[in-house]
Amino acid sequence: IIEHVKKVAEVIPVFGFYLQAAIGGRVYSYDFWQQFAEIPNVYAIKVAAFNRYQTLDVVRAVAHSSRRDEIVLYTGNDDNIVADLLTPYRFEIDGELVEKRFVGGLLGHWAVWTEKAVELLVAVKQMLATGYTDAASMLATNIAVTDMNAAIFDPANAFHGCITGVHEVLRRQGLMDGIWTLNPKETLSPGQAEE
């Protein structure tokens, strides 16, 4: 895979995407991400591993990379949006403290309630700028957002209703007429609409 990415990076800038294994992604090691981060023309990575250890592998690999200041990180961890955006990831590297942060998010969750998502990102950035004033409130918001995200993305049913969950919110907002997909068997899971 690394050799293929290098070939692509010779032609266009590369934005990595770490998709969770539960919905078709693959698990990649720290060593993979360390090699990935060293590829010239890699400029960003979206981490949607939905796994703290795998997320840490990516951030640690980028922090250890000679290109750490050129690569930005975006959270795709819909189950931990606010905490990802608030967390400073710090590593001691060659006697120096190196910090990396997620600078934003590329989230399926942000396909709905987009105005509120923008407000949330602004609030997170404001909290970072003011030294984490009222962090307890923002961490409580993290849990509320994760709980709401579970209703949309349906992890209780192995994400079966994730696309239709997004469609249902958009339908309730009057932005879609129904929750249809190209696959007529795709629908909300039992109890998902009520949740």
Side-chain angles (χ1 to χ4, degrees), residues 42-108:
V42 166
Y43 288 103
I45 301 171
K46 171 187 173 176
V47 182
F50 282 53
N51 179 297
R52 296 291 82 208
Y53 301 112
Q54 292 163 0
T55 297
L56 189 57
D57 282 344
V58 177
V59 180
R60 182 187 306 274
V62 171
H64 278 83
S65 166
S66 65
R67 300 188 63 252
R68 67 178 164 239
D69 295 329
E70 301 170 55
I71 298 173
V72 295
L73 299 172
Y74 294 95
T75 183
N77 291 318
D78 293 81
D79 63 340
N80 205 45
I81 297 168
V82 176
D84 267 359
L85 293 170
L86 286 174
T87 302
Y89 292 80
R90 296 182 181 135
F91 308 95
E92 187 175 321
I93 301 170
D94 298 327
E96 175 189 355
L97 190 63
V98 173
E99 180 176 295
K100 284 299 288 182
R101 288 182 174 273
F102 287 98
V103 299
L106 297 169
L107 301 137

Short mmCIF file of all heavy atoms in Angstrom, two decimals, residues 42-108:
data_model
loop_
_atom_site.label_atom_id
_atom_site.label_comp_id
_atom_site.label_asym_id
_atom_site.label_seq_id
_atom_site.Cartn_x
_atom_site.Cartn_y
_atom_site.Cartn_z
N VAL A 42 1.99 14.02 1.32
CA VAL A 42 0.91 13.68 2.24
C VAL A 42 0.73 14.91 3.13
O VAL A 42 1.69 15.38 3.75
CB VAL A 42 1.24 12.44 3.10
CG1 VAL A 42 0.27 12.32 4.27
CG2 VAL A 42 1.22 11.17 2.27
N TYR A 43 -0.49 15.44 3.17
CA TYR A 43 -0.72 16.68 3.91
C TYR A 43 -1.75 16.58 5.02
O TYR A 43 -1.84 17.49 5.84
CB TYR A 43 -1.10 17.81 2.94
CG TYR A 43 0.08 18.25 2.13
CD1 TYR A 43 0.23 17.84 0.81
CD2 TYR A 43 1.08 19.02 2.70
CE1 TYR A 43 1.33 18.23 0.07
CE2 TYR A 43 2.20 19.40 1.97
CZ TYR A 43 2.32 19.01 0.65
OH TYR A 43 3.42 19.37 -0.07
N ALA A 44 -2.53 15.52 5.04
CA ALA A 44 -3.56 15.40 6.07
C ALA A 44 -3.95 13.95 6.25
O ALA A 44 -3.76 13.12 5.35
CB ALA A 44 -4.78 16.23 5.69
N ILE A 45 -4.50 13.66 7.41
CA ILE A 45 -5.04 12.32 7.70
C ILE A 45 -6.34 12.52 8.47
O ILE A 45 -6.38 13.24 9.48
CB ILE A 45 -4.08 11.46 8.52
CG1 ILE A 45 -2.75 11.28 7.78
CG2 ILE A 45 -4.71 10.09 8.84
CD1 ILE A 45 -1.65 10.62 8.62
N LYS A 46 -7.38 11.86 7.99
CA LYS A 46 -8.64 11.78 8.71
C LYS A 46 -8.63 10.47 9.48
O LYS A 46 -8.48 9.40 8.89
CB LYS A 46 -9.83 11.80 7.76
CG LYS A 46 -11.15 11.50 8.46
CD LYS A 46 -12.29 11.35 7.48
CE LYS A 46 -13.55 10.89 8.19
NZ LYS A 46 -14.71 10.83 7.30
N VAL A 47 -8.78 10.56 10.79
CA VAL A 47 -8.75 9.37 11.64
C VAL A 47 -10.18 9.04 12.06
O VAL A 47 -10.79 9.75 12.86
CB VAL A 47 -7.86 9.57 12.88
CG1 VAL A 47 -7.81 8.30 13.71
CG2 VAL A 47 -6.47 10.00 12.46
N ALA A 48 -10.72 7.97 11.48
CA ALA A 48 -12.06 7.50 11.82
C ALA A 48 -11.99 6.05 12.25
O ALA A 48 -12.77 5.21 11.83
CB ALA A 48 -12.99 7.67 10.61
N ALA A 49 -11.00 5.76 13.09
CA ALA A 49 -10.79 4.39 13.55
C ALA A 49 -11.82 3.96 14.59
O ALA A 49 -12.04 2.77 14.79
CB ALA A 49 -9.39 4.25 14.14
N PHE A 50 -12.45 4.91 15.27
CA PHE A 50 -13.39 4.63 16.35
C PHE A 50 -12.72 3.74 17.41
O PHE A 50 -13.35 2.88 18.01
CB PHE A 50 -14.66 3.95 15.83
CG PHE A 50 -15.63 4.88 15.17
CD1 PHE A 50 -15.25 5.72 14.15
CD2 PHE A 50 -16.96 4.92 15.58
CE1 PHE A 50 -16.13 6.57 13.53
CE2 PHE A 50 -17.86 5.78 14.96
CZ PHE A 50 -17.46 6.61 13.93
N ASN A 51 -11.46 3.97 17.63
CA ASN A 51 -10.67 3.15 18.54
C ASN A 51 -9.55 4.04 19.08
O ASN A 51 -8.77 4.58 18.30
CB ASN A 51 -10.11 1.94 17.78
CG ASN A 51 -9.26 1.04 18.64
OD1 ASN A 51 -8.21 1.46 19.13
ND2 ASN A 51 -9.69 -0.20 18.78
N ARG A 52 -9.49 4.20 20.38
CA ARG A 52 -8.50 5.10 20.99
C ARG A 52 -7.06 4.65 20.68
O ARG A 52 -6.19 5.47 20.43
CB ARG A 52 -8.68 5.17 22.50
CG ARG A 52 -9.99 5.77 22.96
CD ARG A 52 -10.16 7.26 22.69
NE ARG A 52 -10.59 7.51 21.35
CZ ARG A 52 -10.34 8.61 20.63
NH1 ARG A 52 -9.64 9.58 21.12
NH2 ARG A 52 -10.77 8.75 19.41
N TYR A 53 -6.80 3.35 20.73
CA TYR A 53 -5.45 2.87 20.50
C TYR A 53 -5.01 3.10 19.06
O TYR A 53 -3.88 3.52 18.79
CB TYR A 53 -5.34 1.38 20.84
CG TYR A 53 -5.69 1.08 22.28
CD1 TYR A 53 -6.84 0.37 22.59
CD2 TYR A 53 -4.89 1.53 23.33
CE1 TYR A 53 -7.19 0.11 23.91
CE2 TYR A 53 -5.22 1.27 24.65
CZ TYR A 53 -6.37 0.57 24.93
OH TYR A 53 -6.70 0.31 26.23
N GLN A 54 -5.91 2.84 18.13
CA GLN A 54 -5.58 3.04 16.72
C GLN A 54 -5.45 4.53 16.40
O GLN A 54 -4.59 4.93 15.62
CB GLN A 54 -6.63 2.36 15.84
CG GLN A 54 -6.57 0.86 15.95
CD GLN A 54 -7.82 0.16 15.43
OE1 GLN A 54 -8.76 0.79 14.97
NE2 GLN A 54 -7.82 -1.16 15.52
N THR A 55 -6.28 5.35 17.02
CA THR A 55 -6.16 6.79 16.86
C THR A 55 -4.81 7.26 17.37
O THR A 55 -4.11 8.04 16.71
CB THR A 55 -7.31 7.51 17.60
OG1 THR A 55 -8.56 7.13 17.01
CG2 THR A 55 -7.16 9.02 17.56
N LEU A 56 -4.42 6.77 18.52
CA LEU A 56 -3.13 7.13 19.11
C LEU A 56 -1.97 6.68 18.21
O LEU A 56 -0.97 7.40 18.09
CB LEU A 56 -3.00 6.52 20.51
CG LEU A 56 -1.82 6.97 21.35
CD1 LEU A 56 -1.81 8.48 21.54
CD2 LEU A 56 -1.86 6.27 22.69
N ASP A 57 -2.10 5.53 17.57
CA ASP A 57 -1.05 5.08 16.64
C ASP A 57 -0.80 6.12 15.56
O ASP A 57 0.35 6.43 15.22
CB ASP A 57 -1.43 3.75 15.97
CG ASP A 57 -1.23 2.54 16.85
OD1 ASP A 57 -0.51 2.63 17.86
OD2 ASP A 57 -1.79 1.48 16.50
N VAL A 58 -1.87 6.66 14.98
CA VAL A 58 -1.74 7.65 13.91
C VAL A 58 -1.10 8.93 14.44
O VAL A 58 -0.14 9.44 13.85
CB VAL A 58 -3.10 7.97 13.26
CG1 VAL A 58 -2.94 9.05 12.19
CG2 VAL A 58 -3.73 6.72 12.67
N VAL A 59 -1.63 9.45 15.52
CA VAL A 59 -1.13 10.72 16.05
C VAL A 59 0.33 10.58 16.47
O VAL A 59 1.16 11.45 16.17
CB VAL A 59 -2.00 11.23 17.22
CG1 VAL A 59 -1.48 12.55 17.75
CG2 VAL A 59 -3.46 11.36 16.78
N ARG A 60 0.66 9.49 17.14
CA ARG A 60 2.05 9.26 17.57
C ARG A 60 2.98 9.15 16.34
O ARG A 60 4.06 9.74 16.32
CB ARG A 60 2.14 7.98 18.40
CG ARG A 60 3.56 7.71 18.93
CD ARG A 60 3.65 6.35 19.62
NE ARG A 60 2.66 6.17 20.66
CZ ARG A 60 2.81 6.58 21.93
NH1 ARG A 60 3.89 7.19 22.31
NH2 ARG A 60 1.85 6.35 22.80
N ALA A 61 2.54 8.43 15.32
CA ALA A 61 3.36 8.28 14.11
C ALA A 61 3.61 9.62 13.44
O ALA A 61 4.74 9.91 13.02
CB ALA A 61 2.69 7.31 13.14
N VAL A 62 2.58 10.45 13.34
CA VAL A 62 2.75 11.76 12.73
C VAL A 62 3.67 12.63 13.59
O VAL A 62 4.55 13.32 13.08
CB VAL A 62 1.38 12.45 12.48
CG1 VAL A 62 1.57 13.90 12.04
CG2 VAL A 62 0.58 11.67 11.45
N ALA A 63 3.49 12.57 14.90
CA ALA A 63 4.33 13.36 15.80
C ALA A 63 5.80 12.96 15.67
O ALA A 63 6.70 13.81 15.76
CB ALA A 63 3.86 13.21 17.24
N HIS A 64 6.06 11.69 15.44
CA HIS A 64 7.44 11.21 15.28
C HIS A 64 7.99 11.44 13.87
O HIS A 64 9.17 11.24 13.64
CB HIS A 64 7.51 9.71 15.62
CG HIS A 64 7.62 9.44 17.09
ND1 HIS A 64 6.52 9.42 17.92
CD2 HIS A 64 8.69 9.21 17.88
CE1 HIS A 64 6.91 9.16 19.15
NE2 HIS A 64 8.22 9.04 19.16
N SER A 65 7.15 11.85 12.97
CA SER A 65 7.56 12.03 11.58
C SER A 65 8.39 13.29 11.39
O SER A 65 8.17 14.30 12.07
CB SER A 65 6.31 12.12 10.69
OG SER A 65 6.62 12.61 9.42
N SER A 66 9.30 13.25 10.43
CA SER A 66 10.05 14.46 10.08
C SER A 66 9.14 15.49 9.43
O SER A 66 9.49 16.66 9.31
CB SER A 66 11.20 14.10 9.13
OG SER A 66 10.69 13.62 7.89
N ARG A 67 7.93 15.09 9.04
CA ARG A 67 6.96 15.96 8.37
C ARG A 67 5.82 16.39 9.30
O ARG A 67 4.79 16.87 8.85
CB ARG A 67 6.41 15.25 7.13
CG ARG A 67 7.51 14.88 6.13
CD ARG A 67 6.97 14.36 4.82
NE ARG A 67 6.20 15.41 4.19
CZ ARG A 67 4.85 15.40 4.08
NH1 ARG A 67 4.16 14.39 4.54
NH2 ARG A 67 4.22 16.39 3.50
N ARG A 68 6.01 16.23 10.59
CA ARG A 68 4.91 16.47 11.55
C ARG A 68 4.29 17.85 11.45
O ARG A 68 3.12 18.02 11.73
CB ARG A 68 5.36 16.18 12.97
CG ARG A 68 6.41 17.14 13.50
CD ARG A 68 6.75 16.79 14.95
NE ARG A 68 7.98 17.42 15.36
CZ ARG A 68 9.05 16.76 15.78
NH1 ARG A 68 9.02 15.44 15.85
NH2 ARG A 68 10.12 17.40 16.15
N ASP A 69 5.08 18.86 11.06
CA ASP A 69 4.54 20.21 10.96
C ASP A 69 3.83 20.46 9.64
O ASP A 69 3.20 21.50 9.45
CB ASP A 69 5.65 21.24 11.16
CG ASP A 69 6.24 21.17 12.57
OD1 ASP A 69 5.50 20.83 13.51
OD2 ASP A 69 7.44 21.46 12.72
N GLU A 70 3.91 19.51 8.71
CA GLU A 70 3.28 19.64 7.40
C GLU A 70 1.97 18.87 7.30
O GLU A 70 1.20 19.08 6.37
CB GLU A 70 4.22 19.13 6.31
CG GLU A 70 5.55 19.86 6.24
CD GLU A 70 6.53 19.15 5.31
OE1 GLU A 70 6.17 18.92 4.14
OE2 GLU A 70 7.63 18.82 5.78
N ILE A 71 1.73 17.96 8.24
CA ILE A 71 0.55 17.09 8.18
C ILE A 71 -0.45 17.51 9.24
O ILE A 71 -0.12 17.60 10.43
CB ILE A 71 0.95 15.61 8.39
CG1 ILE A 71 1.91 15.16 7.27
CG2 ILE A 71 -0.28 14.72 8.44
CD1 ILE A 71 2.49 13.78 7.48
N VAL A 72 -1.69 17.78 8.79
CA VAL A 72 -2.75 18.12 9.74
C VAL A 72 -3.63 16.89 9.96
O VAL A 72 -3.72 16.00 9.12
CB VAL A 72 -3.60 19.32 9.26
CG1 VAL A 72 -2.76 20.59 9.20
CG2 VAL A 72 -4.26 19.05 7.94
N LEU A 73 -4.26 16.88 11.11
CA LEU A 73 -5.12 15.76 11.50
C LEU A 73 -6.56 16.24 11.64
O LEU A 73 -6.82 17.29 12.23
CB LEU A 73 -4.65 15.17 12.83
CG LEU A 73 -3.23 14.60 12.83
CD1 LEU A 73 -2.82 14.22 14.25
CD2 LEU A 73 -3.13 13.40 11.91
N TYR A 74 -7.47 15.43 11.12
CA TYR A 74 -8.90 15.67 11.25
C TYR A 74 -9.52 14.47 11.93
O TYR A 74 -9.21 13.33 11.60
CB TYR A 74 -9.56 15.87 9.88
CG TYR A 74 -9.10 17.12 9.18
CD1 TYR A 74 -8.07 17.07 8.26
CD2 TYR A 74 -9.70 18.34 9.46
CE1 TYR A 74 -7.63 18.22 7.62
CE2 TYR A 74 -9.27 19.50 8.82
CZ TYR A 74 -8.23 19.42 7.91
OH TYR A 74 -7.80 20.56 7.30
N THR A 75 -10.42 14.72 12.87
CA THR A 75 -11.12 13.60 13.49
C THR A 75 -12.26 13.16 12.57
O THR A 75 -12.94 13.97 11.96
CB THR A 75 -11.65 13.93 14.89
OG1 THR A 75 -12.27 12.73 15.42
CG2 THR A 75 -12.65 15.05 14.91
N GLY A 76 -12.42 11.87 12.51
CA GLY A 76 -13.57 11.25 11.87
C GLY A 76 -14.22 10.32 12.88
O GLY A 76 -15.10 9.53 12.56
N ASN A 77 -13.73 10.41 14.12
CA ASN A 77 -14.23 9.57 15.21
C ASN A 77 -15.54 10.16 15.74
O ASN A 77 -15.56 10.88 16.73
CB ASN A 77 -13.20 9.48 16.34
CG ASN A 77 -11.98 8.69 15.93
OD1 ASN A 77 -12.08 7.65 15.28
ND2 ASN A 77 -10.81 9.17 16.33
N ASP A 78 -16.63 9.84 15.06
CA ASP A 78 -17.93 10.38 15.44
C ASP A 78 -18.30 10.02 16.88
O ASP A 78 -19.13 10.68 17.48
CB ASP A 78 -19.02 9.83 14.50
CG ASP A 78 -18.86 10.35 13.09
OD1 ASP A 78 -18.04 9.80 12.34
OD2 ASP A 78 -19.57 11.30 12.74
N ASP A 79 -17.69 8.99 17.43
CA ASP A 79 -18.01 8.56 18.80
C ASP A 79 -17.22 9.35 19.85
O ASP A 79 -17.38 9.12 21.04
CB ASP A 79 -17.74 7.07 18.97
CG ASP A 79 -16.28 6.69 18.77
OD1 ASP A 79 -15.52 7.46 18.14
OD2 ASP A 79 -15.89 5.61 19.24
N ASN A 80 -16.38 10.30 19.42
CA ASN A 80 -15.53 11.03 20.37
C ASN A 80 -15.14 12.41 19.82
O ASN A 80 -14.03 12.87 20.03
CB ASN A 80 -14.28 10.20 20.65
CG ASN A 80 -13.67 10.52 22.00
OD1 ASN A 80 -14.36 10.63 23.00
ND2 ASN A 80 -12.36 10.66 22.02
N ILE A 81 -16.06 13.05 19.14
CA ILE A 81 -15.76 14.28 18.41
C ILE A 81 -15.15 15.36 19.29
O ILE A 81 -14.05 15.85 19.03
CB ILE A 81 -17.04 14.84 17.75
CG1 ILE A 81 -17.58 13.86 16.71
CG2 ILE A 81 -16.77 16.21 17.12
CD1 ILE A 81 -18.98 14.18 16.21
N VAL A 82 -15.85 15.75 20.33
CA VAL A 82 -15.42 16.88 21.14
C VAL A 82 -14.10 16.57 21.85
O VAL A 82 -13.18 17.40 21.84
CB VAL A 82 -16.51 17.29 22.15
CG1 VAL A 82 -16.03 18.40 23.07
CG2 VAL A 82 -17.78 17.71 21.41
N ALA A 83 -13.98 15.39 22.42
CA ALA A 83 -12.73 15.05 23.11
C ALA A 83 -11.55 15.03 22.15
O ALA A 83 -10.45 15.47 22.49
CB ALA A 83 -12.87 13.72 23.83
N ASP A 84 -11.75 14.51 20.93
CA ASP A 84 -10.67 14.53 19.95
C ASP A 84 -10.23 15.97 19.68
O ASP A 84 -9.03 16.25 19.58
CB ASP A 84 -11.09 13.88 18.62
CG ASP A 84 -10.75 12.41 18.53
OD1 ASP A 84 -10.16 11.85 19.48
OD2 ASP A 84 -11.07 11.80 17.49
N LEU A 85 -11.18 16.88 19.53
CA LEU A 85 -10.85 18.27 19.22
C LEU A 85 -10.22 19.01 20.39
O LEU A 85 -9.45 19.95 20.19
CB LEU A 85 -12.10 19.00 18.74
CG LEU A 85 -12.67 18.52 17.40
CD1 LEU A 85 -14.03 19.15 17.15
CD2 LEU A 85 -11.71 18.82 16.26
N LEU A 86 -10.51 18.57 21.61
CA LEU A 86 -9.97 19.24 22.80
C LEU A 86 -8.61 18.71 23.24
O LEU A 86 -7.86 19.40 23.93
CB LEU A 86 -10.93 19.07 23.98
CG LEU A 86 -12.21 19.88 23.97
CD1 LEU A 86 -13.10 19.47 25.15
CD2 LEU A 86 -11.92 21.38 24.01
N THR A 87 -8.27 17.51 22.85
CA THR A 87 -7.12 16.81 23.42
C THR A 87 -5.80 17.21 22.79
O THR A 87 -5.63 17.10 21.58
CB THR A 87 -7.30 15.29 23.28
OG1 THR A 87 -8.52 14.91 23.94
CG2 THR A 87 -6.14 14.53 23.88
N PRO A 88 -4.84 17.62 23.62
CA PRO A 88 -3.48 17.78 23.12
C PRO A 88 -2.77 16.42 23.22
O PRO A 88 -2.72 15.83 24.29
CB PRO A 88 -2.86 18.80 24.08
CG PRO A 88 -3.60 18.61 25.36
CD PRO A 88 -4.98 18.12 24.99
N TYR A 89 -2.28 15.93 22.12
CA TYR A 89 -1.53 14.67 22.10
C TYR A 89 -0.06 15.04 22.22
O TYR A 89 0.50 15.67 21.31
CB TYR A 89 -1.81 13.90 20.81
CG TYR A 89 -3.22 13.39 20.71
CD1 TYR A 89 -4.26 14.22 20.32
CD2 TYR A 89 -3.52 12.06 21.01
CE1 TYR A 89 -5.57 13.75 20.23
CE2 TYR A 89 -4.82 11.58 20.92
CZ TYR A 89 -5.84 12.45 20.54
OH TYR A 89 -7.13 11.98 20.45
N ARG A 90 0.56 14.67 23.34
CA ARG A 90 1.95 15.07 23.62
C ARG A 90 2.84 13.85 23.75
O ARG A 90 2.50 12.89 24.42
CB ARG A 90 2.01 15.89 24.90
CG ARG A 90 1.26 17.19 24.80
CD ARG A 90 1.36 18.01 26.07
NE ARG A 90 0.60 19.26 25.91
CZ ARG A 90 -0.22 19.74 26.83
NH1 ARG A 90 -0.39 19.11 27.98
NH2 ARG A 90 -0.86 20.86 26.59
N PHE A 91 4.01 13.97 23.11
CA PHE A 91 4.99 12.88 23.11
C PHE A 91 6.38 13.46 23.32
O PHE A 91 6.70 14.51 22.75
CB PHE A 91 4.96 12.14 21.77
CG PHE A 91 3.59 11.70 21.35
CD1 PHE A 91 2.83 12.49 20.50
CD2 PHE A 91 3.04 10.52 21.83
CE1 PHE A 91 1.55 12.11 20.12
CE2 PHE A 91 1.76 10.13 21.46
CZ PHE A 91 1.01 10.93 20.61
N GLU A 92 7.18 12.78 24.12
CA GLU A 92 8.58 13.18 24.25
C GLU A 92 9.35 12.49 23.15
O GLU A 92 9.38 11.26 23.06
CB GLU A 92 9.14 12.80 25.62
CG GLU A 92 10.53 13.37 25.81
CD GLU A 92 11.08 13.14 27.20
OE1 GLU A 92 10.32 13.23 28.17
OE2 GLU A 92 12.29 12.85 27.28
N ILE A 93 9.97 13.31 22.29
CA ILE A 93 10.71 12.79 21.15
C ILE A 93 12.09 13.45 21.15
O ILE A 93 12.21 14.67 21.04
CB ILE A 93 9.97 13.10 19.82
CG1 ILE A 93 8.56 12.47 19.86
CG2 ILE A 93 10.78 12.61 18.63
CD1 ILE A 93 7.66 12.90 18.73
N ASP A 94 13.10 12.61 21.34
CA ASP A 94 14.48 13.10 21.39
C ASP A 94 14.64 14.23 22.40
O ASP A 94 15.27 15.26 22.12
CB ASP A 94 14.95 13.55 20.00
CG ASP A 94 14.96 12.41 18.99
OD1 ASP A 94 15.22 11.25 19.40
OD2 ASP A 94 14.67 12.67 17.80
N GLY A 95 14.03 14.07 23.56
CA GLY A 95 14.15 15.05 24.63
C GLY A 95 13.29 16.29 24.46
O GLY A 95 13.33 17.21 25.27
N GLU A 96 12.49 16.33 23.40
CA GLU A 96 11.64 17.49 23.12
C GLU A 96 10.18 17.06 23.25
O GLU A 96 9.79 15.98 22.82
CB GLU A 96 11.91 17.97 21.69
CG GLU A 96 11.02 19.08 21.23
CD GLU A 96 11.19 19.39 19.73
OE1 GLU A 96 12.05 18.80 19.08
OE2 GLU A 96 10.40 20.22 19.24
N LEU A 97 9.35 17.92 23.84
CA LEU A 97 7.92 17.65 23.94
C LEU A 97 7.26 18.11 22.63
O LEU A 97 7.32 19.28 22.27
CB LEU A 97 7.30 18.39 25.12
CG LEU A 97 5.86 18.01 25.46
CD1 LEU A 97 5.76 16.54 25.87
CD2 LEU A 97 5.33 18.89 26.58
N VAL A 98 6.66 17.16 21.93
CA VAL A 98 6.00 17.44 20.66
C VAL A 98 4.50 17.27 20.86
O VAL A 98 4.06 16.27 21.43
CB VAL A 98 6.51 16.49 19.54
CG1 VAL A 98 5.71 16.68 18.26
CG2 VAL A 98 7.99 16.71 19.30
N GLU A 99 3.73 18.24 20.38
CA GLU A 99 2.27 18.19 20.53
C GLU A 99 1.62 18.21 19.15
O GLU A 99 2.00 18.98 18.29
CB GLU A 99 1.79 19.39 21.34
CG GLU A 99 0.29 19.42 21.55
CD GLU A 99 -0.16 20.57 22.44
OE1 GLU A 99 0.22 20.56 23.63
OE2 GLU A 99 -0.86 21.46 21.94
N LYS A 100 0.63 17.34 18.97
CA LYS A 100 -0.22 17.34 17.78
C LYS A 100 -1.66 17.42 18.25
O LYS A 100 -2.01 16.93 19.31
CB LYS A 100 -0.04 16.06 16.95
CG LYS A 100 1.21 15.98 16.12
CD LYS A 100 1.35 17.06 15.07
CE LYS A 100 0.42 16.92 13.90
NZ LYS A 100 0.61 17.96 12.87
N ARG A 101 -2.49 18.04 17.41
CA ARG A 101 -3.92 18.17 17.71
C ARG A 101 -4.72 17.90 16.44
O ARG A 101 -4.23 18.10 15.34
CB ARG A 101 -4.25 19.59 18.16
CG ARG A 101 -3.76 19.94 19.53
CD ARG A 101 -4.21 21.38 19.86
NE ARG A 101 -3.87 21.72 21.22
CZ ARG A 101 -4.65 21.46 22.27
NH1 ARG A 101 -5.81 20.90 22.12
NH2 ARG A 101 -4.27 21.80 23.48
N PHE A 102 -5.95 17.51 16.65
CA PHE A 102 -6.90 17.48 15.55
C PHE A 102 -7.33 18.93 15.33
O PHE A 102 -7.70 19.62 16.28
CB PHE A 102 -8.11 16.60 15.88
CG PHE A 102 -7.79 15.14 15.86
CD1 PHE A 102 -7.51 14.45 17.03
CD2 PHE A 102 -7.77 14.44 14.66
CE1 PHE A 102 -7.21 13.10 17.01
CE2 PHE A 102 -7.47 13.08 14.64
CZ PHE A 102 -7.19 12.42 15.81
N VAL A 103 -7.30 19.38 14.09
CA VAL A 103 -7.63 20.78 13.81
C VAL A 103 -9.07 20.97 13.38
O VAL A 103 -9.55 22.09 13.27
CB VAL A 103 -6.67 21.37 12.74
CG1 VAL A 103 -5.24 21.34 13.24
CG2 VAL A 103 -6.81 20.65 11.42
N GLY A 104 -9.76 19.88 13.12
CA GLY A 104 -11.15 19.94 12.69
C GLY A 104 -11.66 18.53 12.51
O GLY A 104 -11.03 17.57 12.95
N GLY A 105 -12.81 18.43 11.88
CA GLY A 105 -13.40 17.11 11.70
C GLY A 105 -14.01 16.95 10.32
O GLY A 105 -14.50 17.92 9.73
N LEU A 106 -13.93 15.76 9.82
CA LEU A 106 -14.64 15.34 8.62
C LEU A 106 -15.48 14.16 9.07
O LEU A 106 -15.00 13.03 9.16
CB LEU A 106 -13.67 14.95 7.51
CG LEU A 106 -12.78 16.08 7.01
CD1 LEU A 106 -11.67 15.54 6.13
CD2 LEU A 106 -13.60 17.11 6.27
N LEU A 107 -16.72 14.44 9.41
CA LEU A 107 -17.53 13.48 10.13
C LEU A 107 -18.85 13.23 9.43
O LEU A 107 -19.53 14.17 9.00
CB LEU A 107 -17.81 14.02 11.54
CG LEU A 107 -16.54 14.29 12.35
CD1 LEU A 107 -16.62 15.59 13.09
CD2 LEU A 107 -16.29 13.14 13.28
N GLY A 108 -19.22 11.96 9.34
CA GLY A 108 -20.54 11.63 8.82
C GLY A 108 -21.61 12.32 9.64
O GLY A 108 -22.62 12.80 9.11
#
